[in-house]
Amino acid sequence: MWILSSPRWRRRLFPPLVLVAIGVPLVFLGIHLSSPGDPGNANGPEVPGYANPKSVRFTPANQRAVHKVLREFIQTAVDRQDVGRSWDIAAPSMRAGFTHKQWNRGELPVVPYPAANRGLGRWSFVQYTYAKTVGLEVYLFPKPGSGWSAMTADVELVKGHDGNWRVDYWMPRRFHGPPSVAATAKAKVAPKKHVRPVKAAPQHKAAGKRRAAPPDLVATPKPSRVWWIVPIALLALIVVAPVGIGIGVWYRNRRAARQYVRT
């Protein structure tokens, strides 16, 4: 092509071609990564055939039934008192992958916790209530002297075809406050001894003695400002480089035009 055979046009087309070569891949990656995805994918904006469950009222009858099941589940599965009794009040999804013998031996997907009888089976917050599903936030207190702190757990209960509620999900969420210590352990703590105050040294004697500051009071050295040069230089290069290339091309073209006029 006659354009590429001319040195002047090659110099003129070089900066735009460089910008296009760099900008097109960046634009393509930006559009590709910002795409919402396939609607059939679970990560997409919507899943075909899925409808949000409708919230219903948590009736007093359901509350009493849930409280009874939840209290028994905490005593048996969580506190490990007669674990075998929790098999019937656990949902099939929780029992999946475990045999009845393994469950009776304490091999179940529930983290053990020494729960006290204080407020057992009560919940502190109702997260959601659907026709056959209830999500609760349960607050448990530890037994005295167990060394555990109070705990909050997320619980989900489902209603089966027989109309009975069963625990489908149990997961500790966070612990609150200090651990529970036995009374004997508290008594073993030695009382604090009375320390006599030390008199301050006379001002004329302590004037020439300067004590070093404690380690926690020593000022932390501030980072050098030299490190700011690197990002500033990179940002400046992004702006200055295209401007410099444009000025260089303009100067070469102007010089070539003058030479052409002289000849």
Side-chain angles (χ1 to χ4, degrees):
M1 297 176 62
W2 66 271
I3 295 179
L4 298 180
S5 62
S6 174
R8 181 184 300 176
W9 279 103
R10 287 200 298 267
R11 290 194 299 268
R12 291 179 177 179
L13 294 176
F14 178 74
L17 291 176
V18 172
L19 294 178
V20 171
I22 297 176
V24 171
L26 294 178
V27 172
F28 173 77
L29 291 176
I31 296 174
H32 178 71
L33 296 178
S34 62
S35 175
D38 186 3
N41 191 353
N43 295 328
E46 57 184 33
V47 180
Y50 175 79
N52 292 326
K54 184 179 179 181
S55 299
V56 298
R57 179 171 172 266
F58 197 19
T59 61
N62 287 333
Q63 293 182 21
R64 290 189 295 269
V66 167
H67 173 261
K68 181 180 179 181
V69 173
L70 190 56
R71 178 182 178 86
E72 185 177 358
F73 184 84
I74 295 173
Q75 288 179 338
T76 57
V78 179
D79 197 19
R80 295 297 198 268
Q81 300 178 21
D82 194 2
V83 183
R85 288 195 297 120
S86 62
W87 174 267
D88 295 330
I89 58 176
S93 59
M94 177 175 283
R95 301 196 305 250
F98 298 89
T99 63
H100 202 169
K101 292 183 179 179
Q102 291 176 334
W103 194 280
N104 292 338
R105 291 197 303 263
E107 301 176 11
L108 61 158
V110 178
V111 179
Y113 179 83
N117 292 328
R118 177 183 173 186
L120 201 62
R122 294 292 179 181
W123 49 86
S124 57
F125 180 72
V126 179
Q127 298 177 348
Y128 50 87
T129 55
Y130 303 136
K132 295 184 178 181
T133 307
V134 176
L136 305 172
E137 183 181 273
V138 180
Y139 195 87
L140 298 179
F141 294 94
K143 293 180 179 179
S146 61
W148 289 70
S149 302
M151 182 185 71
T152 302
D154 291 333
V155 190
E156 183 179 273
L157 294 93
V158 295
K159 181 182 285 189
H161 297 290
D162 55 358
N164 295 326
W165 289 92
R166 294 178 176 85
V167 179
D168 183 64
Y169 178 81
W170 175 278
M171 180 59 63
R173 189 172 185 180
R174 65 171 62 94
F175 292 92
H176 309 269
S180 177
V181 183
T184 55
K186 294 180 181 179
K188 292 181 180 180
V189 179
K192 295 183 179 180
K193 296 182 179 180
H194 179 69
V195 181
R196 296 180 60 185
V198 180
K199 294 182 179 180
Q203 197 171 19
H204 65 279
K205 292 183 179 180
K209 298 181 182 180
R210 293 185 178 180
R211 296 183 180 179
D216 55 344
L217 299 179
V218 178
T220 305
K222 298 182 178 180
S224 177
R225 296 183 179 180
V226 179
W227 293 105
W228 287 98
I229 298 177
V230 177
I232 294 175
L234 292 176
L235 294 175
L237 185 61
I238 295 175
V239 179
V240 173
V243 176
I245 293 174
I247 294 174
V249 172
W250 173 81
Y251 178 76
R252 287 196 297 269
N253 294 338
R254 184 176 179 85
R255 185 175 60 182
R258 289 179 180 178
Q259 293 177 356
Y260 178 76
V261 172
R262 290 175 184 176
T263 57

mmCIF file with all atom_site columns, all heavy atoms in Angstrom, residues 28 35 71 89 110 118 131 209 212 232:
data_model
loop_
_atom_site.group_PDB
_atom_site.id
_atom_site.type_symbol
_atom_site.label_atom_id
_atom_site.label_alt_id
_atom_site.label_comp_id
_atom_site.label_asym_id
_atom_site.label_entity_id
_atom_site.label_seq_id
_atom_site.pdbx_PDB_ins_code
_atom_site.Cartn_x
_atom_site.Cartn_y
_atom_site.Cartn_z
_atom_site.occupancy
_atom_site.B_iso_or_equiv
_atom_site.pdbx_formal_charge
_atom_site.auth_seq_id
_atom_site.auth_comp_id
_atom_site.auth_asym_id
_atom_site.auth_atom_id
_atom_site.pdbx_PDB_model_num
ATOM 1  N N   . PHE A 1 28  ? -12.402 -5.022  25.445 1.00 0.00 ? 28  PHE A N   1
ATOM 2  C CA  . PHE A 1 28  ? -13.005 -6.351  25.339 1.00 0.00 ? 28  PHE A CA  1
ATOM 3  C C   . PHE A 1 28  ? -13.083 -7.028  26.703 1.00 0.00 ? 28  PHE A C   1
ATOM 4  O O   . PHE A 1 28  ? -14.110 -7.616  27.066 1.00 0.00 ? 28  PHE A O   1
ATOM 5  C CB  . PHE A 1 28  ? -12.191 -7.212  24.374 1.00 0.00 ? 28  PHE A CB  1
ATOM 6  C CG  . PHE A 1 28  ? -12.636 -8.652  24.326 1.00 0.00 ? 28  PHE A CG  1
ATOM 7  C CD1 . PHE A 1 28  ? -13.773 -9.022  23.625 1.00 0.00 ? 28  PHE A CD1 1
ATOM 8  C CD2 . PHE A 1 28  ? -11.915 -9.633  25.006 1.00 0.00 ? 28  PHE A CD2 1
ATOM 9  C CE1 . PHE A 1 28  ? -14.184 -10.344 23.587 1.00 0.00 ? 28  PHE A CE1 1
ATOM 10 C CE2 . PHE A 1 28  ? -12.324 -10.947 24.976 1.00 0.00 ? 28  PHE A CE2 1
ATOM 11 C CZ  . PHE A 1 28  ? -13.457 -11.304 24.258 1.00 0.00 ? 28  PHE A CZ  1
ATOM 12 N N   . SER A 1 35  ? -20.246 -8.537  32.090 1.00 0.00 ? 35  SER A N   1
ATOM 13 C CA  . SER A 1 35  ? -21.472 -9.158  31.606 1.00 0.00 ? 35  SER A CA  1
ATOM 14 C C   . SER A 1 35  ? -22.203 -9.827  32.756 1.00 0.00 ? 35  SER A C   1
ATOM 15 O O   . SER A 1 35  ? -21.589 -10.473 33.605 1.00 0.00 ? 35  SER A O   1
ATOM 16 C CB  . SER A 1 35  ? -21.135 -10.196 30.525 1.00 0.00 ? 35  SER A CB  1
ATOM 17 O OG  . SER A 1 35  ? -22.303 -10.888 30.118 1.00 0.00 ? 35  SER A OG  1
ATOM 18 N N   . ARG A 1 71  ? -35.859 -27.377 71.957 1.00 0.00 ? 71  ARG A N   1
ATOM 19 C CA  . ARG A 1 71  ? -35.350 -27.670 73.298 1.00 0.00 ? 71  ARG A CA  1
ATOM 20 C C   . ARG A 1 71  ? -34.800 -29.093 73.373 1.00 0.00 ? 71  ARG A C   1
ATOM 21 O O   . ARG A 1 71  ? -33.707 -29.327 73.909 1.00 0.00 ? 71  ARG A O   1
ATOM 22 C CB  . ARG A 1 71  ? -36.470 -27.476 74.321 1.00 0.00 ? 71  ARG A CB  1
ATOM 23 C CG  . ARG A 1 71  ? -36.060 -27.792 75.751 1.00 0.00 ? 71  ARG A CG  1
ATOM 24 C CD  . ARG A 1 71  ? -37.231 -27.627 76.707 1.00 0.00 ? 71  ARG A CD  1
ATOM 25 N NE  . ARG A 1 71  ? -36.857 -27.982 78.060 1.00 0.00 ? 71  ARG A NE  1
ATOM 26 C CZ  . ARG A 1 71  ? -36.290 -27.148 78.932 1.00 0.00 ? 71  ARG A CZ  1
ATOM 27 N NH1 . ARG A 1 71  ? -36.060 -25.895 78.572 1.00 0.00 ? 71  ARG A NH1 1
ATOM 28 N NH2 . ARG A 1 71  ? -35.977 -27.540 80.142 1.00 0.00 ? 71  ARG A NH2 1
ATOM 29 N N   . ILE A 1 89  ? -35.790 -36.214 65.455 1.00 0.00 ? 89  ILE A N   1
ATOM 30 C CA  . ILE A 1 89  ? -36.153 -34.802 65.304 1.00 0.00 ? 89  ILE A CA  1
ATOM 31 C C   . ILE A 1 89  ? -35.170 -34.068 64.392 1.00 0.00 ? 89  ILE A C   1
ATOM 32 O O   . ILE A 1 89  ? -35.233 -32.837 64.291 1.00 0.00 ? 89  ILE A O   1
ATOM 33 C CB  . ILE A 1 89  ? -36.213 -34.108 66.678 1.00 0.00 ? 89  ILE A CB  1
ATOM 34 C CG1 . ILE A 1 89  ? -34.872 -34.217 67.408 1.00 0.00 ? 89  ILE A CG1 1
ATOM 35 C CG2 . ILE A 1 89  ? -37.340 -34.661 67.511 1.00 0.00 ? 89  ILE A CG2 1
ATOM 36 C CD1 . ILE A 1 89  ? -34.847 -33.479 68.728 1.00 0.00 ? 89  ILE A CD1 1
ATOM 37 N N   . VAL A 1 110 ? -23.143 -31.793 64.099 1.00 0.00 ? 110 VAL A N   1
ATOM 38 C CA  . VAL A 1 110 ? -23.540 -30.754 65.054 1.00 0.00 ? 110 VAL A CA  1
ATOM 39 C C   . VAL A 1 110 ? -22.372 -30.541 66.011 1.00 0.00 ? 110 VAL A C   1
ATOM 40 O O   . VAL A 1 110 ? -21.861 -31.509 66.602 1.00 0.00 ? 110 VAL A O   1
ATOM 41 C CB  . VAL A 1 110 ? -24.810 -31.147 65.841 1.00 0.00 ? 110 VAL A CB  1
ATOM 42 C CG1 . VAL A 1 110 ? -25.159 -30.065 66.857 1.00 0.00 ? 110 VAL A CG1 1
ATOM 43 C CG2 . VAL A 1 110 ? -25.972 -31.376 64.892 1.00 0.00 ? 110 VAL A CG2 1
ATOM 44 N N   . ARG A 1 118 ? -30.972 -22.655 81.174 1.00 0.00 ? 118 ARG A N   1
ATOM 45 C CA  . ARG A 1 118 ? -31.496 -21.300 81.219 1.00 0.00 ? 118 ARG A CA  1
ATOM 46 C C   . ARG A 1 118 ? -31.979 -20.872 79.822 1.00 0.00 ? 118 ARG A C   1
ATOM 47 O O   . ARG A 1 118 ? -31.193 -20.765 78.887 1.00 0.00 ? 118 ARG A O   1
ATOM 48 C CB  . ARG A 1 118 ? -30.410 -20.349 81.717 1.00 0.00 ? 118 ARG A CB  1
ATOM 49 C CG  . ARG A 1 118 ? -30.810 -18.889 81.747 1.00 0.00 ? 118 ARG A CG  1
ATOM 50 C CD  . ARG A 1 118 ? -29.619 -18.046 82.183 1.00 0.00 ? 118 ARG A CD  1
ATOM 51 N NE  . ARG A 1 118 ? -29.905 -16.629 82.073 1.00 0.00 ? 118 ARG A NE  1
ATOM 52 C CZ  . ARG A 1 118 ? -28.993 -15.675 82.287 1.00 0.00 ? 118 ARG A CZ  1
ATOM 53 N NH1 . ARG A 1 118 ? -27.758 -15.998 82.650 1.00 0.00 ? 118 ARG A NH1 1
ATOM 54 N NH2 . ARG A 1 118 ? -29.317 -14.411 82.154 1.00 0.00 ? 118 ARG A NH2 1
ATOM 55 N N   . ALA A 1 131 ? -44.039 -21.230 54.791 1.00 0.00 ? 131 ALA A N   1
ATOM 56 C CA  . ALA A 1 131 ? -45.113 -22.172 55.097 1.00 0.00 ? 131 ALA A CA  1
ATOM 57 C C   . ALA A 1 131 ? -44.593 -23.391 55.849 1.00 0.00 ? 131 ALA A C   1
ATOM 58 O O   . ALA A 1 131 ? -45.207 -23.849 56.817 1.00 0.00 ? 131 ALA A O   1
ATOM 59 C CB  . ALA A 1 131 ? -45.810 -22.597 53.803 1.00 0.00 ? 131 ALA A CB  1
ATOM 60 N N   . LYS A 1 209 ? 19.195  12.749  85.139 1.00 0.00 ? 209 LYS A N   1
ATOM 61 C CA  . LYS A 1 209 ? 18.902  11.358  84.788 1.00 0.00 ? 209 LYS A CA  1
ATOM 62 C C   . LYS A 1 209 ? 17.610  11.313  83.997 1.00 0.00 ? 209 LYS A C   1
ATOM 63 O O   . LYS A 1 209 ? 16.546  11.595  84.527 1.00 0.00 ? 209 LYS A O   1
ATOM 64 C CB  . LYS A 1 209 ? 18.761  10.496  86.057 1.00 0.00 ? 209 LYS A CB  1
ATOM 65 C CG  . LYS A 1 209 ? 20.026  10.442  86.889 1.00 0.00 ? 209 LYS A CG  1
ATOM 66 C CD  . LYS A 1 209 ? 19.825  9.569   88.114 1.00 0.00 ? 209 LYS A CD  1
ATOM 67 C CE  . LYS A 1 209 ? 21.061  9.541   88.982 1.00 0.00 ? 209 LYS A CE  1
ATOM 68 N NZ  . LYS A 1 209 ? 20.866  8.687   90.176 1.00 0.00 ? 209 LYS A NZ  1
ATOM 69 N N   . ALA A 1 212 ? 14.568  6.257   79.713 1.00 0.00 ? 212 ALA A N   1
ATOM 70 C CA  . ALA A 1 212 ? 14.040  5.993   78.377 1.00 0.00 ? 212 ALA A CA  1
ATOM 71 C C   . ALA A 1 212 ? 12.538  5.740   78.463 1.00 0.00 ? 212 ALA A C   1
ATOM 72 O O   . ALA A 1 212 ? 12.042  5.188   79.439 1.00 0.00 ? 212 ALA A O   1
ATOM 73 C CB  . ALA A 1 212 ? 14.735  4.776   77.751 1.00 0.00 ? 212 ALA A CB  1
ATOM 74 N N   . ILE A 1 232 ? 3.317   8.036   41.696 1.00 0.00 ? 232 ILE A N   1
ATOM 75 C CA  . ILE A 1 232 ? 3.129   9.315   41.007 1.00 0.00 ? 232 ILE A CA  1
ATOM 76 C C   . ILE A 1 232 ? 3.810   9.299   39.657 1.00 0.00 ? 232 ILE A C   1
ATOM 77 O O   . ILE A 1 232 ? 3.279   9.815   38.658 1.00 0.00 ? 232 ILE A O   1
ATOM 78 C CB  . ILE A 1 232 ? 3.654   10.458  41.894 1.00 0.00 ? 232 ILE A CB  1
ATOM 79 C CG1 . ILE A 1 232 ? 2.791   10.592  43.165 1.00 0.00 ? 232 ILE A CG1 1
ATOM 80 C CG2 . ILE A 1 232 ? 3.674   11.777  41.133 1.00 0.00 ? 232 ILE A CG2 1
ATOM 81 C CD1 . ILE A 1 232 ? 3.305   11.614  44.152 1.00 0.00 ? 232 ILE A CD1 1
#
